[in-house]
């Protein structure tokens, strides 16, 4: 079959309303009307049969009551059928008292001894009386000389219980039909009331649905859902939607990647999926604010949370890991620039001093001065490299010593410092030492006699790092909160955020199975202790590796 032309399809669509509100209202009205009509029909169908049954039972009861009169049997046996006889008089009295259409008394031959029409007395009845004369009660709807009626027939017995005749009572069928017709207006009234209530309920429900769907058409909703799926899974920002109980309703692909979750996380409680931590607190709204920073795994995330009208919330996640790395590289570059500036100032002062000695023809003093300053720098570098054998870490400490000197502080190695060149992750340890030294210089710098002491030692394959200063220290009540993302007492840097240094230090330590803590230093400042198990390679493995390399070289 060929598809209908576009014009016909548009015509059909224009007849049927497109709005969700209109369609739902029409469907509910159709359902309510159909249910009302069906219920009315199902009620009327048995009502007619019930009224017929009631009329037949009433006729049978009148006939039984009439047949129970002993005088009626005596009159039937003692007299002849006559319009003025005692049987006719008794039957008419019963008819008038009960409102029946007729009360007919007959003998065993079926000859009437009473009838509403006196001319019918003495004639044989028009319907078969054999069942009643055989001793059985009869209920039926039948037509006779007086038209259609509901009938009851019973046998008439004498004192010896012998059947001497029968009694037939009829209820006019028009009265039964009248009762049925009289019940229909009331039934329709109830049905109309029920339909009106159903229509009102349908309208209220449709209005509520209209508000919730913003009066959109079904096609618009389908298009919006398609666009939402494409947008959520196409953008490079993570989106997490939560319901009022804290369960994850929606999780797009980027959010799964940033949080390290799978698609099965949808429908589960947030705390059960992420576990306890700042990330779960920020997403759940237990930590309030804009552009909140959190660390999830190796990623630095920027989180914004917006509550929804139903009590839930939608949170967006942005990956700031690379930006934070760039910011830290900028800070490192700035530190190197500060170190170079300090060396430039020191070098300029020394050159001026040397120039003055030469102009004063104090050549021997000039030679001694040059020998001294070269020896000091060489002694500082040699002191570091003798105790810290890893080149990256040694270079960091030498550069930090120059920065400390420029800021009026002293950076020295603690007694007993000795670190072999067997680090598993030198860059990670450089990050940890650099962050802790920077924090110590910020805390102690500017004061007279400012001192930062760095201690590094190896215990088997474990590295123990201690960085202490003689600054104001950390109050006991804050010794745990300082490791929380976003906590900082420093001014905001150029890249926009603070409070990640110590959080990253703890995260790096925990990733290696270690720990980090802070206590009070001997000079009253703060002393940070970092323990990194398995931070050094095994000595035997290193020896075998070196031996193998030497054999290959030979």
């Amino acid at each position: 079959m060929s598809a209908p032309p576009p014009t016909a399809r548009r015509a059909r669509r224009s007849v049927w309303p497109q709005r969700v509100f209109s369609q739902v209202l029409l469907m509910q009205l159709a359902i309510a009307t159909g249910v009302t009509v069906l219920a009315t029909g199902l009620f009327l169908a048995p009502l007619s049969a019930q009224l017929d049954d009631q009329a037949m039972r009433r006729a049978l009861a009148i006939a039984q009551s009439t047949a129970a009169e002993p005088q009626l049997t005596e009159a039937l046996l003692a007299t002849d059928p006559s319009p003025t006889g005692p049987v006719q008089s008794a039957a008419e009295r019963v008819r008038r008292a009960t409102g029946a259409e007729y009360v007919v008394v007959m003998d065993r031959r079926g000859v009437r001894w009473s009838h509403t029409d006196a001319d019918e007395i003495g004639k044989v009845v028009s319907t078969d009386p054999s069942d009643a004369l055989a001793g059985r009660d009869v209920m039926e709807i039948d037509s006779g000389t007086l038209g259609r009626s509901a009938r009851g027939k019973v046998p008439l017995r004498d004192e010896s219980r012998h059947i001497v005749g029968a009694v037939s009572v009829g209820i006019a069928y028009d009265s039964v039909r009248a009762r049925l017709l009289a019940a229909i207006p009331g039934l329709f009234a109830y049905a109309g009331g029920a339909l009106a209530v159903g229509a009102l309920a349908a309208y209220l429900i449709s209005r509520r649905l209209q508000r919730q769907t913003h009066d959109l058409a079904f096609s618009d909703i389908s298009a919006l859902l398609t666009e939402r799926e494409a947008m959520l899974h196409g953008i490079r920002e993570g989106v997490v939607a939560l319901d009022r109980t804290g369960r994850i309703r929606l999780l797009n692909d980027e959010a799964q990647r940033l949080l390290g979750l799978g698609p099965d996380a949808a429908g589960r409680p947030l705390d059960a999926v992420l576990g306890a931590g700042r990330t779960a607190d920020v997403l759940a709204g237990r930590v309030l604010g804009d552009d909140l920073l959190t660390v999830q795994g190796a990623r630095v995330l920027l989180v914004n949370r917006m509550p929804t009208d139903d009590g839930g919330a939608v949170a967006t996640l942005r990956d700031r890991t690379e930006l934070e790395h760039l910011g830290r590289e900028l800070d490192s570059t700035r530190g190197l620039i500060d170190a170079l500036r300090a060396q430039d100032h020191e070098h300029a002062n020394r050159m001026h001093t040397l120039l003055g000695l030469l102009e004063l023809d104090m050549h021997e003093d000039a030679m001694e001065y040059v020998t001294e300053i070269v020896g000091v720098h060489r002694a500082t570098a040699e002191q570091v490299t003798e105790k810290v054998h890893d080149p990256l870490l040694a270079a960091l400490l030498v550069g930090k010593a120059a920065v400390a000197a420029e800021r009026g502080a002293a950076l020295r190695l603690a007694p007993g410092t000795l670190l072999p060149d067997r680090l598993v992750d030198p860059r990670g340890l450089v990050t940890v030492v650099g962050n802790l030294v920077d924090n110590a210089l910020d805390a102690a710098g500017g004061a007279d006699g400012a001192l930062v002491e760095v201690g590094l030692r190896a215990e088997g394959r474990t590295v123990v790092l201690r960085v202490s200063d003689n600054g104001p220290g950390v109050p006991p009540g804050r010794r745990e909160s300082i490791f929380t993302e976003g906590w900082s007492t420093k001014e905001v840097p150029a890249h926009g955020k603070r409070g990640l240094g110590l959080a990253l230090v703890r995260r790096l330590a925990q990733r290696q199975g270690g720990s980090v803590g802070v206590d009070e230093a001997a000079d009253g400042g703060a002393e940070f202790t970092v323990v990194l198990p398995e931070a050094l390679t095994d000595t035997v493995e290193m020896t075998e590796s070196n031996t193998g390399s030497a054999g290959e070289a030979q």
Side-chain angles (χ1 to χ4, degrees), residues 258-327:
L258 296 178
L259 297 176
L261 303 177
D264 58 340
R268 299 173 57 191
L270 179 67
D271 293 331
V273 171
L274 293 179
R278 176 176 171 83
T279 302
D281 292 340
V282 170
L283 292 177
R286 292 187 288 268
V287 178
L288 302 178
D290 297 329
D291 293 339
L292 296 174
L293 282 176
T294 182
V295 178
Q296 180 69 14
R299 302 184 185 279
V300 179
L301 305 179
L302 187 68
V303 182
N304 282 285
R305 186 177 186 275
M306 178 65 68
T308 56
D309 295 338
D310 61 354
V314 175
T316 58
L317 311 172
R318 281 179 283 172
D319 191 356
R320 287 181 59 95
T321 307
E322 295 183 2
L323 184 59
E324 288 296 326
H325 287 168
L326 291 175

Side-chain angles (χ1 to χ4, degrees), residues 433-472:
V433 174
N435 277 304
L436 293 180
V437 170
D438 287 341
N439 288 339
L441 288 175
D442 290 337
D448 293 337
L451 174 65
V452 175
E453 187 175 76
V454 179
L456 286 161
R457 73 174 189 274
E459 298 178 355
R461 297 183 62 180
T462 301
V463 172
V464 179
L465 166 66
R466 285 188 173 87
V467 179
S468 61
D469 60 73
N470 58 354

